[in-house]
């Protein structure tokens, strides 16, 4: 598989700040993977996300999107067409008064022909299961629905990669589930590269690859199954582990032999059943 | 609740008037206003009133809604009427007492001026009642397009207008929230005189402004992320298109203006 995003010694210092927020990141992201970026507040994860489609430009080092340097002004439109971005607050990224008009905003900016825009808008809204709401006013939708409209707005531009910067932070558990299901499906079925920035461990369970960030560097890089069992290291980065791992970790300290890499609820239940199920 | 405020007074519907292209309606309104100010004789006025009456009937907007829209202007109409009544001089003296004299011509002008203002407002109300704010913005942008040549930022103005419309309900919701929060801390928005009330608004307005600026900043970033780079090279999903009914409506409008001018010349 080919590399879609590459960072080379990426350093970023906010204006007026003394210490850099990102301290020389080297990162390669394969096309078609689902990457979760996990980190506590101030770890630099959002700053990293903003570099991936040229909202921020590195203080030093480079960010290459499909080989294009984001620091070059003439690449910016193509970069943003390749990597779409969904933000935390759904209210502040919806532009139009009607759901379908908002989804059309991106393709309209790209200068696509009206009939093709219509088709893309319908496809994108169907894909996030919001088609029947196409004529609604956005402010009457729930948080999860608004966020799915925002995702549709990006999908309609047909990006190869979608970066989501804490898309569930302002949502209730139902809305969070809707958004997660949607992005997982987009990755699995449509092969779109997904980069999910979050501080919820549970949201990382379905990812192919997990990047743990702390103090502007990448602390751990591997699959969630490899990383979550390293409970002590995760806690050292001021992060917890999913409830499933926490439960088995606690049991193991009481002398049981449970597999820490059983991170999904289903796997965890099966492991517990094997360990305790037949000892009545 | 603040949330229940409806905006732009648009009454959704599916009548001939609603379906007309917003550009047609804007131009027709201009023609109508021109005709209204050209008409100085009875026949001309009758024609303008007839045109408005037919439009209202076709739009199925209730007369009650139009009248309630006129209500805030009743004082202006009255003042205009009274001034014209007293200050117009003519040949046919009706009443004379102390230093005031009222002429027949004064009565006539007073009625015509009052009628003219009411017709003017009623016509523009019909436009906003039957056209959604978004359609109006689109129509305006399209009509003003030629001004781009002399560097008027038509697209930017239209975009600003539609974003303002989009955020009004969001900001109203937020005002509601801040008001509740301040009330819970003992703020009092209802009692006191004008100055006390204005002062009480301060702790409401400051957080609202701060948040509006933050929203604007985030929205700008989100728009740029979606490849927004001004009006150049931009297409629209929903194209405005002139149907046959639009051309017919415009033809009726031109005919109206022509007849009103003719009547004026003939002095009927």
């Amino acid at each position: 598989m080919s590399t879609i995003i590459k960072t080379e010694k990426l350093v970023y210092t906010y204006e007026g700040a003394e210490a850099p927020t990102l301290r020389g990141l080297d990162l390669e992201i394969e096309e078609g993977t689902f990457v979760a970026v996990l980190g506590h507040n101030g770890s630099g994860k959002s700053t990293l996300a903003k570099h991936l489609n040229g909202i921020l430009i590195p203080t030093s080092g480079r960010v290459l999107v499909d080989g294009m340097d984001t620091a070059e002004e003439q690449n910016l439109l193509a970069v943003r067409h390749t990597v779409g971005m969904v933000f935390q607050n759904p209210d502040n990224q919806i532009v139009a008064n009607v759901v379908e008009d908002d989804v059309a905003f991106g393709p309209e900016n790209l200068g696509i022909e009206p009939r093709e825009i219509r088709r893309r808008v319908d496809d994108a809204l169907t894909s996030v299961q919001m088609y029947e709401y196409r004529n609604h006013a956005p402010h009457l939708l729930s948080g999860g629905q608004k966020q799915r409209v925002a995702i549709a707005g990006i999908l309609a531009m047909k990006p190869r990669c979608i970066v989501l910067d804490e898309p569930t932070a302002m949502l209730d558990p139902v809305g969070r589930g809707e958004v997660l299901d949607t992005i997982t499906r987009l990755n699995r079925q449509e092969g779109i590269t997904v980069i999910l920035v979050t501080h919820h461990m549970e949201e990382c369970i379905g990812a192919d690859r997990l990047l743990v960030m702390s103090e502007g560097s990448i602390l751990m890089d591997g699959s969630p199954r490899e990383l979550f069992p390293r409970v002590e290291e995760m806690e050292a980065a001021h992060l917890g582990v999913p409830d499933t791992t926490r439960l088995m970790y606690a049991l193991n300290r009481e002398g049981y032999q449970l597999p820490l890499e059983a991170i999904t609820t289903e796997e965890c239940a099966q492991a517990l059943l094997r360990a305790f199920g037949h000892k009545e | 609740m603040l949330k229940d405020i409806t905006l732009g007074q648009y009454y959704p519907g599916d009548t001939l008037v609603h379906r007309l292209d917003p550009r047609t309606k804007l131009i027709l309104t201009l023609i109508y206003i021109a005709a209204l100010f050209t008409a100085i004789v009875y026949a001309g006025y009758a024609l303008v009133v007839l045109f408005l009456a037919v439009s209202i009937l076709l739009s199925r907007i209730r007369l009650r809604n139009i009248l309630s829209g006129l209500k805030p202007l009743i004082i202006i109409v009255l003042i205009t009427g009274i001034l014209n009544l007293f200050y117009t001089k003519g040949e046919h003296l009706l009443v004379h007492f102390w230093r005031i004299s009222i002429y027949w011509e004064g009565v006539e002008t007073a009625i015509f001026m009052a009628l003219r203002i009411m017709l003017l407002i009623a016509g523009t109300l019909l436009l906003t009642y039957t056209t959604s704010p978004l359609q109006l913005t689109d129509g305006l942008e399209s009509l003003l397009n030629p001004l781009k040549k002399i560097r008027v930022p038509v697209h930017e103005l239209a975009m600003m207008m539609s974003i303002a419309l989009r955020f009004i309900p969001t900001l109203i919701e937020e005002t509601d929230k801040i008001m509740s929060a301040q009330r819970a801390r003992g703020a009092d928005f209802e009692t006191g005189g004008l100055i006390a009330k204005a002062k009480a608004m301060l702790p409401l307005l400051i957080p609202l402004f701060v948040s509006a600026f933050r929203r604007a900043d985030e929205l700008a970033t989100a728009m740029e992320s979606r490849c927004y780079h001004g009006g150049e090279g931009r297409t629209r999903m929903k194209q405005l298109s002139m149907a046959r009914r639009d051309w017919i409506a415009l033809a009726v409008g031109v005919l109206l203006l022509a007849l009103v001018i003719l009547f004026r010349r003939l002095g009927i």
Side-chain angles (χ1 to χ4, degrees), chain B residues 108-137:
Chain B
E108 216 179 25
T109 328
I111 293 174
F112 272 141
M113 286 309 282
L115 199 64
R116 189 175 272 178
I117 296 177
M118 288 197 293
L119 285 173
L120 175 71
I121 305 300
T124 42
L125 278 179
L126 188 64
L127 172 71
T128 54
Y129 282 179
T130 59
T131 320
S132 76
L134 211 65
Q135 271 183 310
L136 267 183
T137 323

PDB file of all heavy atoms in Angstrom, chain B residues 108-137:
ATOM      1  N   GLU B 108     -57.260  65.265  -0.964  1.00  0.00           N
ATOM      2  CA  GLU B 108     -56.912  64.332  -2.021  1.00  0.00           C
ATOM      3  C   GLU B 108     -55.462  63.850  -1.873  1.00  0.00           C
ATOM      4  O   GLU B 108     -55.187  62.649  -1.861  1.00  0.00           O
ATOM      5  CB  GLU B 108     -57.073  65.044  -3.368  1.00  0.00           C
ATOM      6  CG  GLU B 108     -57.582  64.156  -4.471  1.00  0.00           C
ATOM      7  CD  GLU B 108     -57.735  64.959  -5.763  1.00  0.00           C
ATOM      8  OE1 GLU B 108     -57.037  65.997  -5.933  1.00  0.00           O
ATOM      9  OE2 GLU B 108     -58.540  64.540  -6.584  1.00  0.00           O
ATOM     10  N   THR B 109     -54.540  64.802  -1.712  1.00  0.00           N
ATOM     11  CA  THR B 109     -53.119  64.437  -1.582  1.00  0.00           C
ATOM     12  C   THR B 109     -52.888  63.589  -0.351  1.00  0.00           C
ATOM     13  O   THR B 109     -52.131  62.618  -0.382  1.00  0.00           O
ATOM     14  CB  THR B 109     -52.235  65.702  -1.460  1.00  0.00           C
ATOM     15  OG1 THR B 109     -52.825  66.744  -2.212  1.00  0.00           O
ATOM     16  CG2 THR B 109     -50.835  65.427  -1.948  1.00  0.00           C
ATOM     17  N   ALA B 110     -53.539  63.957   0.759  1.00  0.00           N
ATOM     18  CA  ALA B 110     -53.363  63.205   2.001  1.00  0.00           C
ATOM     19  C   ALA B 110     -53.740  61.742   1.789  1.00  0.00           C
ATOM     20  O   ALA B 110     -52.994  60.834   2.154  1.00  0.00           O
ATOM     21  CB  ALA B 110     -54.206  63.820   3.109  1.00  0.00           C
ATOM     22  N   ILE B 111     -54.903  61.532   1.167  1.00  0.00           N
ATOM     23  CA  ILE B 111     -55.347  60.152   0.949  1.00  0.00           C
ATOM     24  C   ILE B 111     -54.378  59.421   0.038  1.00  0.00           C
ATOM     25  O   ILE B 111     -53.971  58.285   0.313  1.00  0.00           O
ATOM     26  CB  ILE B 111     -56.770  60.132   0.358  1.00  0.00           C
ATOM     27  CG1 ILE B 111     -57.756  60.664   1.407  1.00  0.00           C
ATOM     28  CG2 ILE B 111     -57.153  58.721  -0.069  1.00  0.00           C
ATOM     29  CD1 ILE B 111     -59.169  60.815   0.895  1.00  0.00           C
ATOM     30  N   PHE B 112     -53.961  60.084  -1.041  1.00  0.00           N
ATOM     31  CA  PHE B 112     -53.060  59.433  -1.994  1.00  0.00           C
ATOM     32  C   PHE B 112     -51.717  59.087  -1.362  1.00  0.00           C
ATOM     33  O   PHE B 112     -51.176  57.999  -1.551  1.00  0.00           O
ATOM     34  CB  PHE B 112     -52.839  60.323  -3.222  1.00  0.00           C
ATOM     35  CG  PHE B 112     -53.873  60.082  -4.280  1.00  0.00           C
ATOM     36  CD1 PHE B 112     -54.411  61.126  -5.014  1.00  0.00           C
ATOM     37  CD2 PHE B 112     -54.313  58.777  -4.546  1.00  0.00           C
ATOM     38  CE1 PHE B 112     -55.371  60.898  -5.996  1.00  0.00           C
ATOM     39  CE2 PHE B 112     -55.270  58.555  -5.520  1.00  0.00           C
ATOM     40  CZ  PHE B 112     -55.799  59.608  -6.243  1.00  0.00           C
ATOM     41  N   MET B 113     -51.164  60.022  -0.581  1.00  0.00           N
ATOM     42  CA  MET B 113     -49.853  59.773   0.034  1.00  0.00           C
ATOM     43  C   MET B 113     -49.931  58.615   1.022  1.00  0.00           C
ATOM     44  O   MET B 113     -49.063  57.734   1.053  1.00  0.00           O
ATOM     45  CB  MET B 113     -49.340  61.023   0.746  1.00  0.00           C
ATOM     46  CG  MET B 113     -48.836  62.114  -0.194  1.00  0.00           C
ATOM     47  SD  MET B 113     -47.660  61.504  -1.391  1.00  0.00           S
ATOM     48  CE  MET B 113     -46.213  61.414  -0.355  1.00  0.00           C
ATOM     49  N   ALA B 114     -50.972  58.604   1.849  1.00  0.00           N
ATOM     50  CA  ALA B 114     -51.141  57.523   2.828  1.00  0.00           C
ATOM     51  C   ALA B 114     -51.267  56.196   2.098  1.00  0.00           C
ATOM     52  O   ALA B 114     -50.627  55.201   2.449  1.00  0.00           O
ATOM     53  CB  ALA B 114     -52.371  57.778   3.681  1.00  0.00           C
ATOM     54  N   LEU B 115     -52.078  56.203   1.056  1.00  0.00           N
ATOM     55  CA  LEU B 115     -52.312  54.998   0.268  1.00  0.00           C
ATOM     56  C   LEU B 115     -51.011  54.525  -0.367  1.00  0.00           C
ATOM     57  O   LEU B 115     -50.684  53.331  -0.384  1.00  0.00           O
ATOM     58  CB  LEU B 115     -53.347  55.304  -0.808  1.00  0.00           C
ATOM     59  CG  LEU B 115     -54.043  54.094  -1.438  1.00  0.00           C
ATOM     60  CD1 LEU B 115     -54.859  53.367  -0.385  1.00  0.00           C
ATOM     61  CD2 LEU B 115     -54.937  54.541  -2.583  1.00  0.00           C
ATOM     62  N   ARG B 116     -50.237  55.478  -0.862  1.00  0.00           N
ATOM     63  CA  ARG B 116     -48.995  55.154  -1.549  1.00  0.00           C
ATOM     64  C   ARG B 116     -48.028  54.438  -0.609  1.00  0.00           C
ATOM     65  O   ARG B 116     -47.447  53.415  -0.958  1.00  0.00           O
ATOM     66  CB  ARG B 116     -48.361  56.443  -2.086  1.00  0.00           C
ATOM     67  CG  ARG B 116     -47.192  56.205  -2.990  1.00  0.00           C
ATOM     68  CD  ARG B 116     -46.707  57.510  -3.570  1.00  0.00           C
ATOM     69  NE  ARG B 116     -47.409  57.858  -4.801  1.00  0.00           N
ATOM     70  CZ  ARG B 116     -47.174  58.991  -5.484  1.00  0.00           C
ATOM     71  NH1 ARG B 116     -46.317  59.865  -5.031  1.00  0.00           N
ATOM     72  NH2 ARG B 116     -47.829  59.226  -6.598  1.00  0.00           N
ATOM     73  N   ILE B 117     -47.876  54.971   0.614  1.00  0.00           N
ATOM     74  CA  ILE B 117     -46.966  54.339   1.578  1.00  0.00           C
ATOM     75  C   ILE B 117     -47.444  52.933   1.913  1.00  0.00           C
ATOM     76  O   ILE B 117     -46.671  51.974   1.927  1.00  0.00           O
ATOM     77  CB  ILE B 117     -46.865  55.180   2.873  1.00  0.00           C
ATOM     78  CG1 ILE B 117     -46.241  56.540   2.541  1.00  0.00           C
ATOM     79  CG2 ILE B 117     -46.012  54.468   3.917  1.00  0.00           C
ATOM     80  CD1 ILE B 117     -46.167  57.460   3.713  1.00  0.00           C
ATOM     81  N   MET B 118     -48.753  52.797   2.146  1.00  0.00           N
ATOM     82  CA  MET B 118     -49.275  51.489   2.515  1.00  0.00           C
ATOM     83  C   MET B 118     -49.091  50.483   1.380  1.00  0.00           C
ATOM     84  O   MET B 118     -48.732  49.322   1.612  1.00  0.00           O
ATOM     85  CB  MET B 118     -50.745  51.597   2.919  1.00  0.00           C
ATOM     86  CG  MET B 118     -50.896  52.292   4.270  1.00  0.00           C
ATOM     87  SD  MET B 118     -52.496  52.029   5.025  1.00  0.00           S
ATOM     88  CE  MET B 118     -53.551  52.923   3.899  1.00  0.00           C
ATOM     89  N   LEU B 119     -49.314  50.954   0.145  1.00  0.00           N
ATOM     90  CA  LEU B 119     -49.154  50.041  -0.990  1.00  0.00           C
ATOM     91  C   LEU B 119     -47.690  49.641  -1.169  1.00  0.00           C
ATOM     92  O   LEU B 119     -47.383  48.499  -1.501  1.00  0.00           O
ATOM     93  CB  LEU B 119     -49.662  50.712  -2.273  1.00  0.00           C
ATOM     94  CG  LEU B 119     -51.183  50.789  -2.417  1.00  0.00           C
ATOM     95  CD1 LEU B 119     -51.553  51.618  -3.637  1.00  0.00           C
ATOM     96  CD2 LEU B 119     -51.806  49.415  -2.501  1.00  0.00           C
ATOM     97  N   LEU B 120     -46.818  50.604  -0.934  1.00  0.00           N
ATOM     98  CA  LEU B 120     -45.384  50.337  -1.050  1.00  0.00           C
ATOM     99  C   LEU B 120     -44.966  49.231  -0.080  1.00  0.00           C
ATOM    100  O   LEU B 120     -44.311  48.252  -0.467  1.00  0.00           O
ATOM    101  CB  LEU B 120     -44.609  51.629  -0.745  1.00  0.00           C
ATOM    102  CG  LEU B 120     -43.088  51.517  -0.705  1.00  0.00           C
ATOM    103  CD1 LEU B 120     -42.544  51.299  -2.089  1.00  0.00           C
ATOM    104  CD2 LEU B 120     -42.479  52.764  -0.086  1.00  0.00           C
ATOM    105  N   ILE B 121     -45.379  49.367   1.178  1.00  0.00           N
ATOM    106  CA  ILE B 121     -45.007  48.382   2.195  1.00  0.00           C
ATOM    107  C   ILE B 121     -45.676  47.034   1.895  1.00  0.00           C
ATOM    108  O   ILE B 121     -45.042  45.973   1.967  1.00  0.00           O
ATOM    109  CB  ILE B 121     -45.409  48.869   3.601  1.00  0.00           C
ATOM    110  CG1 ILE B 121     -44.811  50.242   3.889  1.00  0.00           C
ATOM    111  CG2 ILE B 121     -44.962  47.865   4.655  1.00  0.00           C
ATOM    112  CD1 ILE B 121     -43.323  50.313   3.850  1.00  0.00           C
ATOM    113  N   ALA B 122     -46.958  47.088   1.528  1.00  0.00           N
ATOM    114  CA  ALA B 122     -47.689  45.843   1.274  1.00  0.00           C
ATOM    115  C   ALA B 122     -47.004  45.044   0.163  1.00  0.00           C
ATOM    116  O   ALA B 122     -46.868  43.830   0.247  1.00  0.00           O
ATOM    117  CB  ALA B 122     -49.136  46.148   0.908  1.00  0.00           C
ATOM    118  N   GLY B 123     -46.529  45.756  -0.868  1.00  0.00           N
ATOM    119  CA  GLY B 123     -45.879  45.077  -1.986  1.00  0.00           C
ATOM    120  C   GLY B 123     -44.587  44.397  -1.569  1.00  0.00           C
ATOM    121  O   GLY B 123     -44.336  43.237  -1.912  1.00  0.00           O
ATOM    122  N   THR B 124     -43.761  45.111  -0.790  1.00  0.00           N
ATOM    123  CA  THR B 124     -42.493  44.504  -0.369  1.00  0.00           C
ATOM    124  C   THR B 124     -42.734  43.391   0.653  1.00  0.00           C
ATOM    125  O   THR B 124     -41.992  42.413   0.695  1.00  0.00           O
ATOM    126  CB  THR B 124     -41.537  45.562   0.213  1.00  0.00           C
ATOM    127  OG1 THR B 124     -42.295  46.433   1.031  1.00  0.00           O
ATOM    128  CG2 THR B 124     -40.871  46.355  -0.869  1.00  0.00           C
ATOM    129  N   LEU B 125     -43.786  43.553   1.477  1.00  0.00           N
ATOM    130  CA  LEU B 125     -44.120  42.472   2.416  1.00  0.00           C
ATOM    131  C   LEU B 125     -44.444  41.199   1.642  1.00  0.00           C
ATOM    132  O   LEU B 125     -44.009  40.113   2.005  1.00  0.00           O
ATOM    133  CB  LEU B 125     -45.335  42.856   3.267  1.00  0.00           C
ATOM    134  CG  LEU B 125     -45.071  43.733   4.485  1.00  0.00           C
ATOM    135  CD1 LEU B 125     -46.381  44.035   5.189  1.00  0.00           C
ATOM    136  CD2 LEU B 125     -44.124  43.044   5.438  1.00  0.00           C
ATOM    137  N   LEU B 126     -45.207  41.355   0.549  1.00  0.00           N
ATOM    138  CA  LEU B 126     -45.584  40.183  -0.240  1.00  0.00           C
ATOM    139  C   LEU B 126     -44.326  39.473  -0.751  1.00  0.00           C
ATOM    140  O   LEU B 126     -44.252  38.247  -0.764  1.00  0.00           O
ATOM    141  CB  LEU B 126     -46.478  40.596  -1.412  1.00  0.00           C
ATOM    142  CG  LEU B 126     -47.081  39.427  -2.181  1.00  0.00           C
ATOM    143  CD1 LEU B 126     -48.020  38.629  -1.309  1.00  0.00           C
ATOM    144  CD2 LEU B 126     -47.794  39.907  -3.429  1.00  0.00           C
ATOM    145  N   LEU B 127     -43.304  40.249  -1.134  1.00  0.00           N
ATOM    146  CA  LEU B 127     -42.045  39.658  -1.601  1.00  0.00           C
ATOM    147  C   LEU B 127     -41.396  38.819  -0.500  1.00  0.00           C
ATOM    148  O   LEU B 127     -41.037  37.662  -0.716  1.00  0.00           O
ATOM    149  CB  LEU B 127     -41.092  40.770  -2.053  1.00  0.00           C
ATOM    150  CG  LEU B 127     -39.664  40.338  -2.401  1.00  0.00           C
ATOM    151  CD1 LEU B 127     -39.651  39.545  -3.699  1.00  0.00           C
ATOM    152  CD2 LEU B 127     -38.729  41.537  -2.510  1.00  0.00           C
ATOM    153  N   THR B 128     -41.269  39.379   0.707  1.00  0.00           N
ATOM    154  CA  THR B 128     -40.590  38.631   1.771  1.00  0.00           C
ATOM    155  C   THR B 128     -41.469  37.507   2.327  1.00  0.00           C
ATOM    156  O   THR B 128     -40.955  36.523   2.830  1.00  0.00           O
ATOM    157  CB  THR B 128     -40.139  39.545   2.930  1.00  0.00           C
ATOM    158  OG1 THR B 128     -41.276  40.268   3.386  1.00  0.00           O
ATOM    159  CG2 THR B 128     -39.065  40.491   2.499  1.00  0.00           C
ATOM    160  N   TYR B 129     -42.791  37.667   2.228  1.00  0.00           N
ATOM    161  CA  TYR B 129     -43.686  36.603   2.696  1.00  0.00           C
ATOM    162  C   TYR B 129     -43.590  35.363   1.807  1.00  0.00           C
ATOM    163  O   TYR B 129     -43.788  34.256   2.258  1.00  0.00           O
ATOM    164  CB  TYR B 129     -45.140  37.080   2.713  1.00  0.00           C
ATOM    165  CG  TYR B 129     -45.500  37.952   3.894  1.00  0.00           C
ATOM    166  CD1 TYR B 129     -46.783  38.481   4.029  1.00  0.00           C
ATOM    167  CD2 TYR B 129     -44.571  38.244   4.891  1.00  0.00           C
ATOM    168  CE1 TYR B 129     -47.130  39.279   5.112  1.00  0.00           C
ATOM    169  CE2 TYR B 129     -44.916  39.041   5.964  1.00  0.00           C
ATOM    170  CZ  TYR B 129     -46.190  39.557   6.067  1.00  0.00           C
ATOM    171  OH  TYR B 129     -46.521  40.350   7.139  1.00  0.00           O
ATOM    172  N   THR B 130     -43.310  35.573   0.515  1.00  0.00           N
ATOM    173  CA  THR B 130     -43.369  34.437  -0.407  1.00  0.00           C
ATOM    174  C   THR B 130     -41.993  33.952  -0.857  1.00  0.00           C
ATOM    175  O   THR B 130     -41.906  33.010  -1.636  1.00  0.00           O
ATOM    176  CB  THR B 130     -44.166  34.809  -1.683  1.00  0.00           C
ATOM    177  OG1 THR B 130     -43.529  35.918  -2.297  1.00  0.00           O
ATOM    178  CG2 THR B 130     -45.593  35.135  -1.368  1.00  0.00           C
ATOM    179  N   THR B 131     -40.910  34.604  -0.389  1.00  0.00           N
ATOM    180  CA  THR B 131     -39.574  34.206  -0.827  1.00  0.00           C
ATOM    181  C   THR B 131     -38.724  33.956   0.406  1.00  0.00           C
ATOM    182  O   THR B 131     -38.646  34.822   1.279  1.00  0.00           O
ATOM    183  CB  THR B 131     -38.918  35.330  -1.649  1.00  0.00           C
ATOM    184  OG1 THR B 131     -39.919  35.908  -2.482  1.00  0.00           O
ATOM    185  CG2 THR B 131     -37.798  34.807  -2.514  1.00  0.00           C
ATOM    186  N   SER B 132     -38.082  32.787   0.494  1.00  0.00           N
ATOM    187  CA  SER B 132     -37.263  32.503   1.675  1.00  0.00           C
ATOM    188  C   SER B 132     -36.024  33.401   1.635  1.00  0.00           C
ATOM    189  O   SER B 132     -35.568  33.786   0.561  1.00  0.00           O
ATOM    190  CB  SER B 132     -36.855  31.039   1.703  1.00  0.00           C
ATOM    191  OG  SER B 132     -35.822  30.809   0.784  1.00  0.00           O
ATOM    192  N   PRO B 133     -35.489  33.752   2.814  1.00  0.00           N
ATOM    193  CA  PRO B 133     -34.330  34.648   2.848  1.00  0.00           C
ATOM    194  C   PRO B 133     -33.170  34.145   1.979  1.00  0.00           C
ATOM    195  O   PRO B 133     -32.476  34.926   1.338  1.00  0.00           O
ATOM    196  CB  PRO B 133     -33.914  34.642   4.316  1.00  0.00           C
ATOM    197  CG  PRO B 133     -35.126  34.229   5.069  1.00  0.00           C
ATOM    198  CD  PRO B 133     -35.931  33.370   4.162  1.00  0.00           C
ATOM    199  N   LEU B 134     -33.015  32.812   1.946  1.00  0.00           N
ATOM    200  CA  LEU B 134     -31.916  32.242   1.187  1.00  0.00           C
ATOM    201  C   LEU B 134     -32.108  32.472  -0.314  1.00  0.00           C
ATOM    202  O   LEU B 134     -31.169  32.821  -1.035  1.00  0.00           O
ATOM    203  CB  LEU B 134     -31.814  30.753   1.479  1.00  0.00           C
ATOM    204  CG  LEU B 134     -30.410  30.198   1.396  1.00  0.00           C
ATOM    205  CD1 LEU B 134     -29.543  30.795   2.475  1.00  0.00           C
ATOM    206  CD2 LEU B 134     -30.444  28.690   1.503  1.00  0.00           C
ATOM    207  N   GLN B 135     -33.364  32.294  -0.763  1.00  0.00           N
ATOM    208  CA  GLN B 135     -33.677  32.522  -2.179  1.00  0.00           C
ATOM    209  C   GLN B 135     -33.453  33.985  -2.538  1.00  0.00           C
ATOM    210  O   GLN B 135     -32.934  34.304  -3.593  1.00  0.00           O
ATOM    211  CB  GLN B 135     -35.147  32.191  -2.439  1.00  0.00           C
ATOM    212  CG  GLN B 135     -35.420  30.759  -2.812  1.00  0.00           C
ATOM    213  CD  GLN B 135     -36.886  30.581  -3.118  1.00  0.00           C
ATOM    214  OE1 GLN B 135     -37.744  30.986  -2.343  1.00  0.00           O
ATOM    215  NE2 GLN B 135     -37.179  29.997  -4.255  1.00  0.00           N
ATOM    216  N   LEU B 136     -33.861  34.851  -1.601  1.00  0.00           N
ATOM    217  CA  LEU B 136     -33.675  36.286  -1.833  1.00  0.00           C
ATOM    218  C   LEU B 136     -32.196  36.616  -2.019  1.00  0.00           C
ATOM    219  O   LEU B 136     -31.821  37.352  -2.935  1.00  0.00           O
ATOM    220  CB  LEU B 136     -34.204  37.076  -0.641  1.00  0.00           C
ATOM    221  CG  LEU B 136     -35.638  37.561  -0.697  1.00  0.00           C
ATOM    222  CD1 LEU B 136     -35.955  38.387   0.533  1.00  0.00           C
ATOM    223  CD2 LEU B 136     -35.859  38.392  -1.955  1.00  0.00           C
ATOM    224  N   THR B 137     -31.358  36.020  -1.143  1.00  0.00           N
ATOM    225  CA  THR B 137     -29.922  36.263  -1.232  1.00  0.00           C
ATOM    226  C   THR B 137     -29.382  35.786  -2.575  1.00  0.00           C
ATOM    227  O   THR B 137     -28.627  36.490  -3.244  1.00  0.00           O
ATOM    228  CB  THR B 137     -29.180  35.514  -0.110  1.00  0.00           C
ATOM    229  OG1 THR B 137     -29.977  35.550   1.049  1.00  0.00           O
ATOM    230  CG2 THR B 137     -27.850  36.107   0.172  1.00  0.00           C
TER     231      THR B 137
END
